[in-house]
Amino acid sequence: QVQLVESGGGLVQAGGSLSLSCAASGRSFSSYLIAWFRQAPGKEREFVVVINSSGGWRHYADSVKGRFTISRDNFKSTVALQMNSLKPEDTAVYYCNANRPMRTYWGQGTQVTVSS
């Protein structure tokens, strides 16, 4: 069982930066793939980025490549998403997702709003 809590969302102007955090509790956090998804108003939830258990492999959606950076600290059971050069189209609720085969957990989401 893993519980996830996102934080760090807020309002920022276009071109600015935010850092999101996903704090996890429960056993075996280090064995999970961790992903970020986002969902904008009126749109389907979309994949943003995923990081493997060791933190040595990452895959980003094309829309955020070069602007977002994911990292994890398994000692602290946290995952960070550094978001730079933010655009209005990045506005969404951002969700942390933990995955193992046949298991998935979601956080409650944190709102990111990027103004023009």
Side-chain angles (χ1 to χ4, degrees):
Q1 186 76 254
V2 172
Q3 294 178 316
L4 306 170
V5 179
E6 302 95 333
S7 63
L11 176 64
V12 65
Q13 291 186 346
S17 298
L18 283 174
S19 182
L20 306 184
S21 179
C22 175
S25 62
R27 294 184 176 183
S28 302
F29 171 79
S30 63
S31 69
Y32 283 83
L33 291 169
I34 303 296
W36 287 92
F37 288 76
R38 65 187 183 186
Q39 188 166 21
K43 298 180 66 176
E44 295 183 346
R45 189 170 299 185
E46 68 173 338
F47 167 80
V48 177
V49 63
V50 62
I51 187 168
N52 75 336
S53 59
S54 70
W57 174 87
R58 304 164 175 86
H59 178 70
Y60 297 87
D62 288 342
S63 60
V64 304
K65 283 183 179 177
R67 300 189 298 119
F68 290 12
T69 302
I70 191 171
S71 61
R72 70 188 294 167
D73 187 339
N74 287 335
F75 293 100
K76 298 180 179 179
S77 296
T78 58
V79 175
L81 182 64
Q82 179 65 45
M83 307 186 297
N84 299 323
S85 301
L86 284 163
K87 304 174 181 179
E89 51 263 45
D90 295 319
T91 295
V93 176
Y94 284 70
Y95 297 91
C96 184
N97 181 54
N99 296 278
R100 291 200 302 183
M102 301 182 67
R103 299 182 183 184
T104 187
Y105 303 94
W106 293 90
Q108 84 289 348
T110 185
Q111 177 70 51
V112 172
T113 302
V114 184
S115 62
S116 300

